[in-house]
Amino acid sequence: MTVVLSHKSALKALLADRSVANDARHCMPADSRATCKELLTAQSRFNLGGKTLDVLMSGRDRRSFDPGLVQLHSPASLEGIPAFIKIDNTYIASPELCFVQIASSLSVIDAILFGYYLCGDYRPTSIRQQTGNQPLTSVDRLGQFIDLLPHMRGKRRAQRALRYVVDNSNSPQESRLTIVIILPTRLGGFGLMRPKLNQPIPGTMKIGDLCWFEQGLILEYDSQENHAGNNQLNADSIRRAKIELADFHVISVAPQQLKSLQCLNDLGELTARNLGADFRHRSSSFAQKQRALHHALFLEQKKL
């Protein structure tokens, strides 16, 4: 018998050791049943104590398990699809499968944010991994996996969210800033071209936050969390000056700017002008949609 972890339990197991995210993918075993003892062993092995286990299981009477221990999910539609990472005798849903499973219960905006988290190198403060923060997956890998899936719960939400995910985000706020810039105006965003995130800047030894190299523009997000005082502020100023010497225009973005809708609009207009884009909003409902998006991204501040 085999334990198959899914949804949030699988994600937590992957976060405990990100290096396994690159392991070979396996199809789900034909017999995905497990005993209570095997489930408790997996719970201890992957440090999942205190949480209800999300488990894929076929042909098992749900009444035979304590609902405080196990939340059973159907493995339907996954037969023959390489969607699991095998560790010892436990199968763990891959980051790609976790994206589809978890996105099914999220709003579109939260599903987009979740995609940035999986494809980025940051982590929520509630999780302390012992290994590095390399991305669990990438936009390309997510897209290729979703294309393999037949119709299943979460697929359409995941497909829609993935359109607006960019690889290599360094922080939640960097992700939110990118989302509001590239999301189409019909969803309350500025509808501008997508940047590349955290890329080496040509002609320098620096890394740019949001980069449009062909247009000569870089947005730098100055997180106050990383500022230790005047020395750090001076270092940031010198860094921007060096980037500008390499013929890139740098726009600095402070956290307080993102909390003001007017400041955010000013930033969008300035970014559009530097990209040579049209910033006019033709939809009469844009203002309402923009307020809703701004509130969801920058005022609610949900933890990923």
Side-chain angles (χ1 to χ4, degrees):
M1 294 188 180
T2 306
V3 176
V4 183
L5 297 177
S6 69
H7 294 74
K8 292 182 179 180
S9 293
L11 179 61
K12 187 172 182 180
L14 293 170
L15 291 172
D17 183 0
R18 285 176 177 248
S19 64
V20 303
N22 291 319
D23 288 358
R25 303 304 198 253
H26 298 265
C27 296
M28 187 168 174
D31 185 1
S32 58
R33 293 175 295 171
T35 64
C36 285
K37 182 178 179 180
E38 288 168 329
L39 290 169
L40 290 170
T41 298
Q43 188 179 52
S44 175
R45 164 73 172 79
F46 297 102
N47 194 27
L48 303 175
K51 300 290 184 180
T52 301
L53 290 179
D54 289 300
V55 176
L56 294 182
M57 193 173 294
S58 58
R60 185 75 191 227
D61 189 341
R62 293 172 183 267
R63 293 171 297 178
S64 63
F65 288 104
D66 180 351
L69 171 64
V70 176
Q71 173 65 50
L72 295 181
H73 302 273
S74 170
S77 304
L78 292 172
E79 183 177 351
I81 297 175
F84 299 89
I85 295 166
K86 188 173 183 292
I87 300 178
D88 299 329
N89 292 322
T90 302
Y91 285 74
I92 300 172
S94 66
E96 297 79 32
L97 179 55
C98 285
F99 179 58
V100 177
Q101 291 175 330
I102 295 174
S104 67
S105 61
L106 299 177
S107 68
V108 172
I109 296 303
D110 285 342
I112 296 171
L113 283 168
F114 183 45
Y116 274 84
Y117 175 61
L118 292 177
C119 298
D121 62 353
Y122 61 96
R123 65 190 180 203
T125 55
S126 60
I127 297 175
R128 303 298 184 195
Q129 299 100 298
Q130 298 301 314
T131 57
N133 292 349
Q134 64 267 29
L136 290 173
T137 186
S138 68
V139 171
D140 283 347
R141 289 173 70 174
L142 287 172
Q144 291 167 11
F145 176 78
I146 292 171
D147 286 344
L148 289 176
L149 294 175
H151 176 71
M152 65 176 289
R153 187 170 183 262
K155 178 178 177 177
R156 291 183 64 182
R157 178 64 50 85
Q159 283 178 318
R160 185 182 180 193
L162 191 60
R163 297 174 195 167
Y164 310 112
V165 178
V166 181
D167 288 323
N168 299 320
S169 178
N170 235 354
S171 70
Q173 285 294 77
E174 197 172 275
S175 298
R176 293 180 175 104
L177 176 58
T178 306
I179 291 169
V180 78
I181 286 173
I182 69 173
L183 212 63
T185 55
R186 59 185 170 81
L187 296 177
F190 296 135
L192 302 176
M193 67 178 70
R194 65 177 54 214
K196 292 185 177 180
L197 304 183
N198 297 294
Q199 299 295 304
I201 300 171
T204 76
M205 297 182 67
K206 307 297 180 183
I207 301 293
D209 292 343
L210 281 70
C211 306
W212 295 266
F213 290 139
E214 292 185 7
Q215 290 73 29
L217 177 65
I218 296 173
L219 260 63
E220 290 285 289
Y221 177 69
D222 296 329
S223 171
Q224 293 177 334
E225 295 173 353
N226 296 327
H227 288 164
N230 290 334
N231 289 340
Q232 182 61 50
L233 291 171
N234 290 336
D236 288 343
S237 179
I238 293 171
R239 178 171 179 262
R240 285 192 292 273
K242 288 182 177 179
I243 294 173
E244 288 176 336
L245 285 174
D247 292 329
F248 291 100
H249 180 58
V250 179
I251 300 175
S252 296
V253 184
Q256 58 268 28
Q257 286 178 270
L258 301 181
K259 293 185 178 181
S260 164
L261 189 55
Q262 182 57 56
C263 288
L264 193 62
N265 266 319
D266 292 342
L267 173 64
E269 186 172 0
L270 181 59
T271 302
R273 188 161 62 244
N274 278 275
L275 293 175
D278 184 1
F279 193 66
R280 290 174 296 176
H281 306 303
R282 298 174 176 83
S283 171
S284 60
S285 63
F286 173 75
Q288 180 181 356
K289 291 177 179 178
Q290 187 190 41
R291 284 194 297 271
L293 177 64
H294 179 256
H295 187 272
L297 287 176
F298 302 112
L299 301 182
E300 290 183 359
Q301 294 288 285
K302 296 177 183 177
K303 289 187 177 180
L304 294 178

